[in-house]
């Protein structure tokens, strides 16, 4: 987790100086940011000494148009591919790592299947071979809302039942987020955007009473009160012993971190477990960084390292800078990827890989960078839509056309 760089230090010092921070160091909801950042803080992207080439992962090159998630089915020598259209498939791999017959795992009736709607996230239970459970984040056809559900599957594929875990109304069709991922702690993490339109007009991202503009963390192995899931006791807004929620100040205990625009793709580093995310910008920068428990990533007050909306209220949590930014002249639709820990491609070992979904440019940044990393452009893929890891740990890239590629 990087330390706060110069512009955010200025803001933090200003808030401290005005008494908006309590002695415990937690900003109060309702404060406003007024500190002007200094100019010229964004780093220029570094030249690219590294270069990779995208090649077809499978000789027969099966097509899965517009994939949003792909990876290994736990406990099986098989890959899953989830598509925005609502279809989830899986394919067994032979001894050579080639895809055998493709089978349907789920077919979900989704709304729109374009833009920020459709099937947005998918992840199997870590013990799928025993539980036959998978988790899906999607927008149901009948309503404009995000739904996260647990599906029980038949052994041969197909849904046996659906248990809705969480539903969140969405005011607009864009910035619905999407990512689902089990962390090293076995808990389910959920990415939700700020509700859409432009610039977070309803002020969700900094509001601890809203689930929008957040990364959530829940326990799917138990229920709690009227909730279909449990709340991890160390989540930042869980009432302490003897405390009760006030009707005047509602804090959602599902929140893990806040202050995001649209964290639609994030992943965990296999070494150390850091949660890496990419977040959409508005006018100046796209950004990427690591998210920790209770951190506030600044949107819409900050966009990258510069002030975006000085009138926006400041929510709770430690203001945390991104690890790196890209100016929107280079990226207008950032696609979060993963930290490469496989031996191939060697040029990317220990680096966070990400892309621009429109230009197809592939970028990487040192995963150990503190503060401002220097992104390097390393290659290109035609319309990437998802990253994943294969059975051998190597990077997988899914494209809008439906191809599954790997990098060399």
């Amino acid at each position: 987790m990087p330390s706060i760089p110069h512009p955010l230090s200025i803001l933090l010092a200003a808030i401290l100086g005005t008494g908006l921070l309590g002695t415990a160091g937690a900003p109060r909801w309702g404060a406003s940011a007024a500190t002007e950042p200094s100019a010229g803080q964004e780093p220029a992207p570094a030249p690219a000494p590294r270069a990779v080439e995208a090649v077809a992962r499978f000789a027969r090159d099966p097509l899965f148009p517009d994939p949003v998630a792909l990876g290994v089915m736990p406990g099986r020598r098989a890959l899953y591919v989830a598509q925005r259209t609502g279809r989830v498939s899986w394919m067994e791999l032979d001894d050579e790592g080639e895809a055998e017959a493709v089978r349907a795992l789920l077919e979900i009736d989704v709304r729109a299947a374009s833009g920020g709607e459709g099937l947005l996230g998918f992840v199997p239970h870590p013990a799928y071979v025993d539980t036959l459970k998978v988790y899906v984040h999607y927008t149901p056809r009948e309503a404009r809302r995000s739904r996260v559900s647990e599906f029980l599957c038949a052994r041969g594929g197909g849904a046996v039942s659906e248990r809705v875990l969480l539903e969140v109304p969405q005011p607009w069709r864009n910035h619905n987020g999407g990512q689902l991922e089990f962390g090293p702690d076995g808990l389910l993490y959920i990415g939700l955007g700020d509700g859409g339109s432009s610039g977070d007009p309803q002020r969700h991202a900094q509001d601890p009473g809203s689930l929008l503009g957040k990364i959530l963390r829940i326990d799917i192995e138990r229920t709690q009160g009227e909730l279909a899931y449990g709340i991890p006791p160390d989540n930042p807004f869980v009432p302490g012993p003897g405390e009760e929620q006030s009707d005047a100040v509602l804090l959602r205990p599902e929140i893990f971190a806040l202050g995001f625009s649209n964290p639609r793709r994030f992943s965990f580093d296999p070494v150390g477990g850091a949660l890496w995310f990419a977040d959409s910008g508005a006018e100046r920068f796209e950004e990427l960084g690591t998210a920790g428990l209770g951190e506030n990533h600044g949107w819409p007050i900050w966009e990258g390292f510069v002030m975006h909306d000085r009138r926006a209220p400041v929510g709770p949590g430690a203001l945390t800078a991104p690890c790196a930014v890209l100016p929107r002249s280079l990226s207008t639709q950032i696609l979060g990827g993963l930290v490469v820990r496989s031996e191939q491609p060697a040029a990317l070992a220990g680096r966070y890989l990400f892309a621009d979904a429109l230009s197809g440019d592939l970028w990487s940044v040192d995963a150990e960078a503190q503060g401002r990393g220097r992104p390097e452009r390393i290659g290109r893929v035609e319309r990437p839509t998802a990253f994943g890891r294969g059975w051998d740990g190597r990077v997988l890239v899914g494209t809008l056309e439906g191809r599954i590629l790997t990098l060399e």
Side-chain angles (χ1 to χ4, degrees):
M1 182 177 66
S3 58
I4 298 175
H6 175 63
L8 289 183
S9 297
I10 293 175
L11 175 62
L12 197 56
I15 295 174
L16 281 166
T18 58
L20 294 175
L21 287 184
T23 56
R28 293 203 306 267
W29 170 244
S32 60
T35 302
E36 189 73 47
S38 59
Q41 39 300 63
E42 66 270 14
R50 302 166 182 81
V52 296
E53 181 181 2
V55 298
R57 170 61 183 84
F58 302 110
R60 291 186 288 275
D61 209 8
L63 293 180
F64 304 92
D66 204 358
V68 298
L70 61 162
V72 175
M73 292 295 289
R76 306 190 67 156
R77 191 180 175 86
L79 295 179
Y80 65 81
V81 183
Q83 298 167 251
R84 189 180 297 274
T85 56
R87 182 182 179 88
V88 182
S89 306
W90 63 277
M91 47 189 169
E92 299 281 356
L93 304 180
D94 63 21
D95 292 340
E96 303 299 320
E98 285 295 328
E100 296 184 324
V102 176
R103 298 178 174 86
L105 182 64
L106 284 178
E107 290 276 0
I108 301 173
D109 190 21
V110 299
R111 178 184 174 93
S114 63
E117 297 183 311
L119 193 159
L120 303 176
F122 172 89
V123 67
H125 191 286
Y128 174 78
V129 290
D130 300 317
T131 66
L132 298 180
K133 293 177 180 179
V134 299
Y135 299 85
V136 184
H137 182 179
Y138 70 102
T139 52
R141 183 175 296 278
E142 66 272 15
R144 182 172 291 170
R145 62 181 61 244
S146 290
R147 176 182 291 170
V148 177
S149 287
E150 174 188 89
F151 286 87
L152 179 63
C153 299
R155 290 203 175 274
V160 174
S161 63
E162 176 182 6
R163 183 170 73 98
V164 176
L165 300 177
L166 179 69
E167 286 194 338
V168 182
Q170 291 285 357
W172 285 279
R173 296 180 62 177
N174 63 324
H175 280 208
N176 287 343
Q179 186 71 38
L180 295 180
E181 196 77 22
F182 281 99
D185 52 11
L187 300 171
L188 181 63
Y189 291 70
I190 304 165
L192 286 172
D194 63 11
S197 186
S198 178
D200 191 14
Q202 295 186 354
R203 302 292 195 244
H204 290 295
Q206 289 292 320
D207 182 357
S210 170
L211 296 181
L212 297 176
K214 314 295 191 301
I215 293 177
L216 313 180
R217 183 176 69 159
I218 63 174
D219 184 350
I220 51 84
E221 300 296 349
R222 61 188 179 91
T223 60
Q224 188 169 329
E226 297 181 354
L227 300 176
Y229 48 85
I231 299 294
D234 61 339
N235 274 8
F237 302 130
V238 174
E243 295 180 349
E244 294 183 0
Q245 290 275 19
S246 166
D247 291 337
V249 183
L250 174 64
L251 305 178
R252 294 301 301 258
E254 298 92 340
I255 295 171
F256 173 78
L258 69 156
F260 299 97
S261 172
N262 192 32
R264 64 188 182 115
R265 296 287 183 270
F266 59 79
S267 61
F268 290 92
D269 186 348
V271 177
L275 189 163
W276 278 84
F277 69 90
D279 200 14
S280 302
E283 299 171 352
R284 298 282 301 277
F285 299 105
E286 307 282 286
E287 66 180 70
L288 53 130
T290 59
L293 185 67
E295 290 179 349
N296 184 338
H297 289 267
W299 175 257
I301 305 154
W302 292 90
E303 182 181 6
F305 296 116
V306 302
M307 183 76 74
H308 174 73
D309 185 354
R310 66 176 56 251
R311 295 168 298 181
V314 181
L319 288 170
T320 305
C323 292
V325 299
L326 278 182
R328 285 176 62 82
S329 59
L330 296 176
S331 175
T332 57
Q333 196 174 114
I334 197 167
L335 179 69
L338 43 80
V339 177
V340 179
R341 296 297 184 184
S342 57
E343 294 181 359
Q344 295 293 331
L348 296 185
R351 300 184 67 83
Y352 178 70
L353 170 69
F354 62 104
D356 180 77
L358 292 183
S359 70
D361 286 337
L362 297 175
W363 297 81
S364 76
V365 67
D366 183 2
E368 307 304 322
Q370 298 294 310
R372 300 179 200 174
R374 299 191 68 197
E376 299 178 4
R377 186 160 27 198
I378 55 171
R380 189 175 183 278
V381 168
E382 186 69 26
R383 299 301 298 271
T385 60
F387 288 95
R389 300 184 199 275
W391 178 263
D392 54 3
R394 294 189 61 178
V395 174
L396 301 175
V397 186
T399 72
L400 186 67
E401 178 189 16
R403 302 185 68 196
I404 298 178
L405 310 174
T406 192
L407 301 180
E408 294 183 344

